[in-house]
Amino acid sequence: FDPHDNIRGGTAYLSDLLGMFDGDLVRTLAAYNAGEGAVQRYRGVPPYPETQEYVRRAMLVYGGSAAGRPVQRAWNSGLPAM
């Protein structure tokens, strides 16, 4: 196990996901956690509690959370993608 390779691989995968989801960070994070197929199938953050919590926490750390609202509600509200 090489931590540098792990980080390089993870960032490359995140970059691919960002491209796949047109820069939409919320969907990218959801896909990183639940898989891109789940995000495509649900057309957004899947209704998996683990994934919703993962995205919520990541966005809080990133500083892009919609005032701490649950990601699923914000996604379905018609608001622009975070």
Side-chain angles (χ1 to χ4, degrees):
F1 171 77
D2 182 358
H4 295 274
D5 285 343
N6 191 347
I7 291 169
R8 256 190 301 281
T11 56
Y13 183 47
L14 281 170
S15 178
D16 290 345
L17 291 172
L18 275 168
M20 180 181 295
F21 294 108
D22 299 320
D24 185 322
L25 186 55
V26 169
R27 289 190 299 158
T28 296
L29 290 167
Y32 188 80
N33 182 263
E36 57 262 27
V39 173
Q40 291 166 337
R41 185 169 40 259
Y42 288 100
R43 296 182 180 157
V45 179
Y48 311 150
E50 176 189 329
T51 299
Q52 292 177 356
E53 183 65 7
Y54 176 84
V55 172
R56 186 188 73 77
R57 287 181 180 208
M59 292 303 292
L60 283 171
V61 169
Y62 179 73
S65 171
R69 288 186 303 223
V71 171
Q72 190 68 23
R73 194 173 106 214
W75 175 258
N76 288 331
S77 70
L79 294 174
M82 291 187 263

